[in-house]
């Protein structure tokens, strides 16, 4: 009887020792599995043991060896599956994804540094937005930006976060932000990076006090044609910075936005499709959640339009007529089946829904804002770049037939209207406006 107990103890110890070679998660799972199996088969195990004692020692030894081999093979396969899952999880992290894109030749190494800096800034701002009511960061800061908008407290704080992040990464020569009247010259330069970085640190900041969706938009442009010499006068540096910054969307090398809502979502394009990453707060990393996102079209498109209906009476008559046709369903021959209307009042929130569901977002000029309200350089062009990379369209103009990406700003804070969404929806708008113009003749 004493011999039986000794052998049972030795067998248990051997099994556990074999499993401790793996990581803690899988060690626990395997040990629990062995324990459960042993409990269920205890009766059969005792009977088998008695029979084994009556058999020859050689046969028993051989059986033990074969059993250990089988156990090792099973645990080895489990370890392999664990490694595969770990590698897959790591590959989905934004930081790893950016590095892989650089290895594939889709990204410049210095651009990776800039994008990582921006993603870190977004994490910080996400935390500030969530804690704003508790930290007293709601309400007005007491000033106005260059565009004439009243600055919220978080506008100013988020702007500083972005500036510090981009400056410290050392890969940008000029920074343009909605909250600064003039371009900011970044003297800290490392490596070969000389990008023009533009951003709106908090889009839809008027929503913060009500805890409604906000976000940050950024655009990264290729280096400008003018060299910037720190030894020159402040006036000359400012002139060169401004010239470098005024580029069309066709010179964008990356663009994206970070939406602060029920989740913190980081959407990005570097000219090879659109990818989205959601912040996993348990690990503090952005994890891939939208792989090669396309704006739905055709049967996959949801018939949704967005825009400020409160301003429709200020729009051009033909656009007012277009909206009325959307509301009846006549615009696409489905009278009695109107398009749904959704509007958040923040460019990022409304565009993100359009990116995922399809439809069209209307931001035309009106009687009070003949040039629109969104800024071309750091809001409209980056969103247009994302839309086109997602196989959608972004246009402007009287007949909605001017490609936003081709418009070169004449000032860093120039405003622009925009129509953006599913390709078929934007083409439908163009056709409606053209047909209506022809009817008037």
């Amino acid at each position: 009887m004493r011999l039986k107990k000794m052998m049972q103890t030795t067998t248990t110890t051997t099994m556990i020792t074999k499993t401790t070679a793996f990581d803690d998660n899988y060690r626990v799972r395997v040990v629990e599995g062995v324990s459960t199996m042993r409990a269920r088969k205890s009766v059969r195990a005792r009977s088998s043991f008695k029979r084994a004692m009556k058999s020859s020692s050689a046969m028993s030894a051989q059986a033990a060896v074969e059993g250990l081999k089988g156990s090792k093979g099973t645990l080895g396969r489990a370890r392999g599956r664990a490694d595969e899952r770990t590698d897959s999880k790591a590959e989905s992290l934004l930081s790893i994804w950016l590095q892989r894109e650089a290895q594939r030749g889709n990204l410049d190494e210095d651009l990776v540094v800039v994008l990582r800096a921006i993603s870190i800034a977004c994490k910080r701002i996400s935390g500030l937005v969530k804690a704003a009511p508790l930290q007293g960061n709601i309400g007005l800061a007491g000033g106005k930006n260059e565009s004439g908008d009243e600055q919220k407290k978080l506008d100013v704080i988020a702007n500083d976060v972005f500036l510090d992040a981009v400056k410290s990464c050392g890969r940008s020569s000029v920074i343009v932000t909605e909250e600064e009247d003039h371009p900011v010259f970044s003297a800290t330069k490392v490596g070969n990076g000389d990008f023009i970085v533009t951003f709106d640190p908090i889009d839809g900041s008027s929503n913060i006090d009500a805890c409604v969706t906000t976000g940050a938009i950024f655009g990264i442009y290729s280096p400008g044609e003018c060299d910037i010499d720190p030894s020159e006068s402040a006036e000359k540096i400012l002139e060169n910075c401004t010239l470098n910054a005024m580029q069309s969307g066709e010179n964008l090398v990356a663009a994206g936005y970070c939406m602060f809502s029920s989740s913190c979502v980081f959407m990005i394009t570097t000219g090879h499709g659109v990818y989205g990453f959601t912040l996993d707060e348990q690990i503090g990393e952005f994890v891939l959640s939208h792989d090669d996102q396309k704006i739905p079209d055709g049967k996959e498109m949801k018939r949704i339009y967005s825009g400020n209906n409160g301003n429709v009476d200020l729009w051009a008559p033909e656009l007012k007529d277009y909206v009325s046709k959307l509301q009846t369903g006549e615009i696409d021959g489905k009278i009695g089946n109107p398009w749904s209307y959704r509007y958040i009042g923040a460019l990022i929130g409304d565009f993100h829904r359009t990116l995922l569901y399809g439809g069209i977002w209307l931001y035309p000029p009106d009687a009070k804002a003949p040039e629109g309200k969104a800024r071309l350089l750091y809001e409209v062009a980056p969103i247009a770049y994302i839309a086109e990379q997602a196989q959608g369209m972004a246009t402007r103009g009287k007949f909605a037939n001017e490609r936003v990406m081709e418009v070169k700003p004449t000032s860093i804070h120039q405003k622009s209207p925009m129509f953006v969404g599913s390709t078929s929806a934007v083409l439908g708008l163009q056709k409606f406006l053209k047909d209506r113009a022809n009817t008037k003749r």
Side-chain angles (χ1 to χ4, degrees), residues 324-336:
S324 68
K325 296 291 191 294
L326 290 171
Q327 293 171 342
T328 62
E330 185 180 350
I331 194 67
D332 52 358
K334 299 180 180 179
I335 299 177

Side-chain angles (χ1 to χ4, degrees), residues 421-441:
S422 302
T423 296
S424 64
V426 177
L427 290 176
L429 171 61
Q430 291 178 352
K431 182 178 184 304
F432 176 85
L433 295 176
K434 183 178 180 180
D435 290 346
R436 198 174 188 282
N438 291 334
T439 303
K440 279 186 174 182
R441 292 176 182 175

Side-chain angles (χ1 to χ4, degrees), residues 118 121-122 124-126 128-129 137 152-166 177 179-180 199-203 205 208 214-217 260:
I118 290 175
C122 288
R124 291 186 60 191
I125 295 171
S126 175
L128 290 169
V129 169
N137 289 331
K152 296 281 188 176
K153 292 179 181 179
L154 269 183
D155 282 326
V156 178
I157 296 172
N159 185 64
D160 290 341
V161 171
F162 262 112
L163 283 175
D164 290 344
V166 176
T177 161
E179 309 306 326
E180 302 287 341
F199 55 84
D200 178 358
I202 296 284
D203 170 66
S205 58
I208 290 176
T214 58
I217 310 173
F260 313 125

Side-chain angles (χ1 to χ4, degrees), residues 317-384:
E318 56 271 20
L319 284 172
K320 291 172 61 176
D321 192 19
Y322 172 75
V323 170
S324 68
K325 296 291 191 294
L326 290 171
Q327 293 171 342
T328 62
E330 185 180 350
I331 194 67
D332 52 358
K334 299 180 180 179
I335 299 177
N337 184 14
W339 283 50
S340 298
Y341 173 72
R342 301 287 185 272
Y343 184 64
I344 296 173
L347 171 55
I348 287 179
D350 286 311
F351 175 72
H352 188 72
R353 181 191 56 251
T354 304
L355 178 64
L356 268 57
Y357 297 164
I360 189 168
W361 185 76
L362 307 170
Y363 198 67
D366 60 43
K368 291 183 178 180
E371 295 300 323
K373 292 183 179 179
R375 269 63 58 170
L376 176 61
L377 191 64
Y378 44 84
E379 292 178 327
V380 175
I383 292 296

Side-chain angles (χ1 to χ4, degrees), residues 7-8 74 95 99 191-192 217 220 224 246 261 285 322 350 357 394 398 406:
M7 292 189 70
Q8 288 175 335
T74 301
S95 56
Q99 196 60 48
N192 298 318
I217 310 173
I220 304 175
M246 291 190 298
S261 187
E285 294 287 347
Y322 172 75
D350 286 311
Y357 297 164
K398 183 177 180 180
E406 297 177 355

Side-chain angles (χ1 to χ4, degrees), residues 82-95:
D83 291 342
E84 289 176 4
R85 284 192 289 269
T86 301
D87 291 343
S88 177
K89 182 72 172 180
E91 290 290 331
S92 67
L93 301 181
L94 175 62
S95 56

Side-chain angles (χ1 to χ4, degrees), residues 105-106 122 131 137 158 160 167 190 241 278 291 308 312 315 355 368 383 400 441:
N106 293 337
C122 288
N137 289 331
D160 290 341
K167 282 182 178 179
V190 180
C241 285
T278 299
D291 190 2
N308 191 344
V312 169
W315 295 0
L355 178 64
K368 291 183 178 180
I383 292 296
R441 292 176 182 175

